[in-house]
Amino acid sequence: MRKRKTICILVMLALLLGLAQLPAAADAEKVRFWCTPEPVETGEDIVLGNIEAEITASDEYDYFDVTVELPDGVTYMAAATVTTATYYVREAKELLAAEADGLKIRCPGDVETIHIRFDREGSSTVKIKRGVAPPEIAVRVTVEARKGYSTRWRVTGDCVNGIAEEGRVTVTAGSPSTVTPGRERQVAAITFKEEKQGTLEEGDRIYLRLLTGGYAWEYPKDEWVTRSSYGPQVGEIRRTADGTQLALVIARESTRDDQWLKITPLVWVKDTAPAGEVKVEISSSPAVVPTTTLTVARLGSAKEVEVDVGDVPSITPGEERAATEIRFEEDAAGTLREGDRITLELTGDDVTWERPRSSWVVAGKHGLDANVDRPWNNHRLLVLTVTGESNKADTLVLKPQILVDKDADAGPVKCRVTASTAAVPEQTLTIARIGTEEEPDIGVSVRNDGDDILYRASSGTVIDTIVIKAAPALPEGKTILLTIRTRGVQWYKVEYPANLELLGFRDENQTAEFRLREDVNEVVFEGARVSVMPDAALGDVEVRVGGTAGARGTVEVGEVRSPVTATASSRKEVRLGETNQPAGDITIRETDDGAWQSGRMVLTLPEGVTFARPPEVKVNGRSVNFANPTGTGGLEFFFEATSDEDGVYIEDIRYNVGLNARHGDVEVGIDGDAVNRLDRTLYPQAFAPVVTVVNARVTGQAAPPPPPVRVAFFSIGGKVYTVNGVPYYMDVAPYIKHNRTYLPVRYVAYSLGIPEGGIRWDGRNAYLSRDGTTVVLTVGSTYMRVNGTYVKMDVPPEIVRPGRMMLPYRWVAEAFGATVSWDPATHTVRMEIAEG
């Protein structure tokens, strides 16, 4: 039976007042509907309110057909029979049809009032589907007066006889967390709160689908889920294979009202994750949880601001004194953005900030600046707001003053640092000392375990041991950061003690982050290894110690050197387009004994420069064999290292210099596993030159390369044409008429490189445009317009089936600068034009 869902708002209001909205038709006056709305809940065996239809017409009819239709989501518990229909439709005479969503009854013609009741005795109870039924249950009743076999009139009315009180589940999320690429991070907790007991039932599923690409849910764990004392219980958490969706399967429903369920999941942030918000769509089956989109995280910057303090002053109670200066050091330009807020909150009750002055803030040298303020109602709070961003890594300095109460206890003055940006880690700083109490002693030092030499293009070199000592102990749960401050040096592997947990690496593997598993007085990093890129900065390698544990310090752990040096005997001039030109000899020497190893050595030349013939190559005075390099830009040979310092000598070098070579120095790169010992499975830089040497300089004027051309061929009678050898199909073939070769204008345009957007047809005129040239052709006219100038043709364009404009090809081709030719032997047209 047809379901009806649309309910007029006026009908609802009238019914709720005990009235019925009358149908708009003229017959509407013949029936009045009355109904009694009953509060109902979703589930089975539900009793709706009764409905009464009063027939006001005075005519007599043979019988009335009464149809009762239930809305979507509501069905009868049991199919109607004659007995039950007679019971719950008073005066029912005959059951015409009965289905789960409605029934049709025939009543006597002399009936004046038709009562429709819903109760349990007559088996007229209904079932309301969870999450589907509308809030107001409106039953549609149709009364049809019949005389003989004809219908005299029909009146339909909607009666709201049930107000659904389905339990609701509200969904909320905590503050979005900040995540970074390549890390496993916790997102904001998502809470599902029921208003009524048992809203979530056994077997229900709640879905959490990641809408933002570049993220995946981690494999679920039971500890992700918590609940209130009488809240619904989750039996299992399911995860799709691609990690984009979680499903919470309800195992047991709640036993009281106002209960909740909470999940705090982990997400893996891929390197390809886009910047911005991480959104999750919440839905359920059945739809008892409203479909909602929440922001649970934001992709934070991998950049960081190091917060450090100067010398800690000693202050006497009752004094107004300057605290230590606080430095905010960026590790990259623009790490602190305009509008970022850094809050410094004094943790003791006996100390307050003085009224801020602009002189407290010392702006950076590269644009970083901020203003400072103190809330009027909280003098222990200081707020820095960034007003200027840096164009290079910069440092902002705060020089605040504090006021200490007269009865303040001796001890350290601490302030807690928080920020609106994840670039500034949360931490607690000691900014002054009251009285003479000793501050915790935290020392950072190195233990010299080796020769400290780190060669460029090497992997796994051990650095000096880093030692952190503290009294009292560094607290459990806090973090230690080890950041390499030398460009081109990265962590390869960091051995760490059992009292630490590795959280991961970031900043292109220059920062390692650890968490303390317990309170410790000493942390020793022994056997830590680094990788040094071919372009790493030469000189001392510094490691800065930081983190929320309070350890601060910078130590030198080694020195970067190049494994080889390369020099040239001279820098000779070579000219473009000439061959067999002499260049300077090259000498390659080992920096230290053992700096290189036996293996391949490769010399590479810049683009456009090749070896004209094999040069003379000697290693420690012995000639070596190598592949013939003539005509190539590379020279490769095997090098055998000795126990002494070695040397490679390359003489009689001659170059061929092509027209595509760049003017200026010819840099010869020196590569190969003899000098580049980076792990080739991990680093693409393992194939980069370690050093370069200049032994020639390109001079002379290079002739510009000829532009690429398009060559098109059309054949008379053929529907296939080619452009640069690629065939294309036409829907009309070229032909000869009056000793003229006609080609379809559109396909000529395509062959000339005119794009689709440069071709327009208005039914009479064809417009063609390419590289600033516009041609207009008119059917039947012998005049062609080229950039507004009229050109007289000997024949006009004509139209052939299927509506193609045809024209002797030479006019259009030459208007766009193409050269054309005709081969009478093959009946072929050739057109050539430079690419745009």
Side-chain angles (χ1 to χ4, degrees):
M1 186 171 294
R2 182 165 56 93
K3 297 183 179 181
R4 304 296 298 271
K5 296 176 67 176
T6 305
I7 306 171
C8 177
I9 296 177
L10 295 177
V11 172
M12 296 179 185
L13 294 174
L15 291 173
L16 290 173
L17 293 172
L19 301 175
Q21 172 66 39
L22 296 180
D27 293 326
E29 299 292 337
K30 299 179 179 179
V31 180
R32 289 192 300 171
F33 295 100
W34 308 80
C35 62
T36 308
E38 293 289 338
V40 296
E41 296 182 0
T42 58
E44 298 188 352
D45 202 19
I46 305 299
V47 178
L48 295 175
N50 294 333
I51 300 172
E52 185 172 312
E54 183 182 37
I55 300 174
T56 59
S58 59
D59 304 46
E60 291 189 359
Y61 305 96
D62 293 340
Y63 48 85
F64 296 100
D65 287 341
V66 181
T67 303
V68 180
E69 297 175 85
L70 299 178
D72 283 352
V74 182
T75 56
Y76 285 113
M77 288 292 296
T81 64
V82 174
T83 303
T84 59
T86 304
Y87 182 84
Y88 61 76
V89 180
R90 186 180 298 175
E91 306 295 346
K93 176 180 179 182
E94 181 182 359
L95 177 65
L96 299 180
E99 296 183 12
D101 58 356
L103 74 158
K104 189 172 184 179
I105 299 294
R106 180 156 288 178
C107 298
D110 57 354
V111 68
E112 294 182 356
T113 304
I114 301 172
H115 299 273
I116 303 169
R117 70 173 65 180
F118 290 83
D119 58 24
R120 289 184 175 83
E121 292 185 15
S123 300
S124 59
T125 59
V126 297
K127 175 171 60 177
I128 302 178
K129 190 175 182 179
R130 296 168 61 234
V132 175
E136 294 179 329
I137 310 300
V139 174
R140 172 156 290 191
V141 181
T142 300
V143 177
E144 185 179 21
R146 299 180 65 85
K147 188 114 175 138
Y149 293 100
S150 64
T151 298
R152 294 304 176 89
W153 50 261
R154 179 188 294 111
V155 177
T156 298
D158 291 327
C159 275
V160 176
N161 61 337
I163 307 298
E165 295 184 347
E166 182 176 341
R168 296 182 180 180
V169 178
T170 56
V171 185
T172 56
S175 298
S177 62
T178 300
V179 298
T180 52
R183 303 292 295 276
E184 175 189 79
R185 286 298 191 190
Q186 191 176 78
V187 301
I190 301 172
T191 303
F192 305 91
K193 186 176 181 181
E194 296 178 326
E195 292 181 358
K196 303 187 70 175
Q197 168 187 336
T199 302
L200 290 170
E201 298 180 359
E202 181 180 353
D204 288 354
R205 286 173 170 79
I206 301 175
Y207 300 105
L208 292 79
R209 183 166 68 92
L210 286 165
L211 298 179
T212 309
Y215 298 85
W217 295 118
E218 279 294 320
Y219 287 98
K221 296 181 180 179
D222 292 340
E223 55 262 32
W224 287 6
V225 178
T226 55
R227 65 188 183 103
S228 56
S229 301
Y230 304 96
Q233 184 173 330
V234 173
E236 62 176 320
I237 309 174
R238 298 177 181 175
R239 174 185 179 270
T240 56
D242 61 2
T244 60
Q245 182 167 284
L246 296 176
L248 309 183
V249 183
I250 304 300
R252 187 178 301 170
E253 64 183 45
S254 59
T255 55
R256 293 188 182 180
D257 293 344
D258 296 320
Q259 300 299 305
W260 55 264
L261 173 72
K262 182 186 294 184
I263 180 171
T264 309
L266 293 176
V267 69
W268 176 256
V269 188
K270 303 177 184 178
D271 291 336
T272 57
E277 297 180 339
V278 182
K279 293 185 177 295
V280 174
E281 180 187 75
I282 309 297
S283 60
S284 69
S285 176
V288 294
V289 178
T291 300
T292 309
T293 299
L294 303 173
T295 298
V296 296
R298 290 185 177 88
L299 182 63
S301 170
K303 301 174 185 177
E304 188 169 283
V305 175
E306 180 75 19
V307 184
D308 206 353
V309 297
D311 295 334
V312 177
S314 181
I315 298 178
T316 302
E319 284 188 341
E320 174 189 335
R321 289 282 302 277
T324 183
E325 69 176 28
I326 304 171
R327 297 185 294 273
F328 302 90
E329 300 178 10
E330 297 178 313
D331 64 1
T335 303
L336 287 172
R337 308 301 297 270
E338 186 175 348
D340 286 348
R341 294 163 62 89
I342 303 173
T343 302
L344 297 92
E345 183 178 11
L346 293 167
T347 58
D349 294 334
D350 300 330
V351 183
T352 56
W353 298 109
E354 274 296 313
R355 183 185 299 276
R357 302 178 181 90
S358 60
S359 59
W360 287 12
V361 178
V362 180
K365 298 179 180 179
H366 306 290
L368 182 60
D369 201 358
N371 59 34
V372 61
D373 195 11
R374 182 190 69 179
W376 66 271
N377 58 347
N378 187 350
H379 290 185
R380 289 198 299 273
L381 209 62
L382 206 61
V383 180
L384 272 176
T385 302
V386 177
T387 57
E389 299 178 10
S390 63
N391 53 34
K392 188 176 180 181
D394 211 348
T395 300
L396 185 75
V397 179
L398 178 68
K399 297 182 176 181
Q401 291 186 330
I402 57 175
L403 178 62
V404 182
D405 291 349
K406 292 182 179 180
D407 56 353
D409 296 331
V413 177
K414 295 180 179 291
C415 76
R416 186 167 64 94
V417 179
T418 57
S420 62
T421 170
V424 181
E426 182 177 337
Q427 55 199 283
T428 298
L429 305 175
T430 297
I431 60 171
R433 183 183 298 112
I434 302 173
T436 59
E437 181 176 301
E438 291 295 327
E439 269 290 281
D441 182 20
I442 301 178
V444 179
S445 61
V446 295
R447 184 189 304 153
N448 196 331
D449 296 320
D451 55 10
D452 300 341
I453 303 302
L454 309 175
Y455 289 111
R456 278 179 169 177
S458 62
S459 297
T461 307
V462 178
I463 63 172
D464 288 341
T465 299
I466 301 174
V467 181
I468 303 173
K469 292 185 178 181
L474 300 173
E476 176 187 357
K478 298 296 184 179
T479 61
I480 294 176
L481 299 179
L482 300 182
T483 301
I484 300 174
R485 302 192 67 176
T486 304
R487 176 179 57 82
V489 182
Q490 306 175 7
W491 291 116
Y492 180 76
K493 185 178 181 180
V494 181
E495 301 289 345
Y496 55 93
N499 53 24
L500 293 184
E501 172 191 4
L502 176 64
L503 298 182
F505 297 89
R506 64 171 186 260
D507 305 333
E508 297 183 349
N509 289 332
Q510 285 197 302
T511 298
E513 184 177 8
F514 304 87
R515 181 187 290 128
L516 290 161
R517 296 179 181 272
E518 57 189 26
D519 293 352
V520 296
N521 293 100
E522 183 180 72
V523 178
V524 179
F525 295 94
E526 186 174 8
R529 299 174 182 268
V530 297
S531 292
V532 186
M533 299 300 109
D535 61 348
L538 299 175
D540 293 335
V541 176
E542 293 185 343
V543 174
R544 181 173 62 191
V545 179
T548 59
R552 296 285 186 276
T554 300
V555 291
E556 295 179 4
V557 296
E559 177 188 358
V560 174
R561 294 185 187 176
S562 174
V564 295
T565 61
T567 58
S569 62
S570 62
R571 183 181 303 183
K572 296 187 177 181
E573 289 192 357
V574 293
R575 294 183 62 80
L576 287 169
E578 297 185 10
T579 61
N580 200 30
Q581 303 178 78
D585 298 336
I586 296 175
T587 299
I588 306 171
R589 291 187 178 278
E590 186 178 23
T591 304
D592 304 299
D593 185 19
W596 56 14
Q597 62 186 4
S598 297
R600 293 179 310 106
M601 187 172 290
V602 180
L603 275 64
T604 56
L605 300 177
E607 183 180 2
V609 182
T610 60
F611 288 100
R613 67 185 187 188
E616 181 73 21
V617 179
K618 292 183 179 180
V619 176
N620 298 328
R622 300 186 305 274
S623 297
V624 298
N625 296 321
F626 50 89
N628 189 342
T630 303
T632 69
L635 170 67
E636 180 178 339
F637 57 90
F638 183 80
F639 166 81
E640 185 175 354
T642 67
S643 59
D644 299 322
E645 291 186 10
D646 300 310
V648 176
Y649 307 92
I650 307 171
E651 301 173 346
D652 194 18
I653 301 173
R654 289 181 175 270
Y655 292 148
N656 294 334
V657 182
L659 294 175
N660 61 330
R662 291 186 178 181
H663 285 80
D665 292 340
V666 176
E667 289 191 351
V668 183
I670 301 169
D671 185 16
D673 55 16
V675 293
N676 192 327
R677 292 182 282 179
L678 278 171
D679 188 333
R680 298 199 166 204
T681 63
L682 296 178
Y683 302 104
Q685 297 94 327
F687 302 91
V690 177
V691 294
T692 59
V693 59
V694 177
N695 70 336
R697 181 176 179 81
V698 177
T699 61
Q701 181 64 40
V709 297
R710 297 171 65 91
V711 180
F713 289 93
F714 292 81
S715 298
I716 299 301
K719 290 188 176 182
V720 174
Y721 70 101
T722 63
V723 177
N724 291 342
V726 179
Y728 297 92
Y729 178 77
M730 301 181 290
D731 56 6
V732 62
Y735 55 85
I736 297 176
K737 182 178 179 180
H738 303 307
N739 203 29
R740 294 287 188 270
T741 301
Y742 281 77
L743 301 184
V745 173
R746 176 173 290 273
Y747 296 108
V748 169
Y750 289 159
S751 69
L752 295 174
I754 298 175
E756 185 68 38
I759 304 172
R760 185 167 61 88
W761 168 250
D762 63 8
R764 177 174 172 78
N765 300 296
Y767 301 84
L768 309 177
S769 298
R770 179 185 188 264
D771 297 338
T773 299
T774 300
V775 173
V776 182
L777 300 165
T778 303
V779 175
S781 174
T782 57
Y783 285 94
M784 173 179 67
R785 275 186 292 162
V786 181
N787 290 338
T789 301
Y790 286 90
V791 177
K792 183 74 165 64
M793 301 183 294
D794 54 0
V795 292
E798 61 185 28
I799 300 295
V800 300
R801 292 182 181 179
R804 291 294 179 209
M805 175 186 280
M806 309 291 288
L807 184 74
Y809 63 91
R810 188 178 299 273
W811 294 105
V812 173
E814 291 183 347
F816 286 99
T819 59
V820 296
S821 61
W822 163 253
D823 186 347
T826 59
H827 281 203
T828 300
V829 173
R830 182 184 189 274
M831 285 188 291
E832 181 178 310
I833 188 172
E835 292 278 14

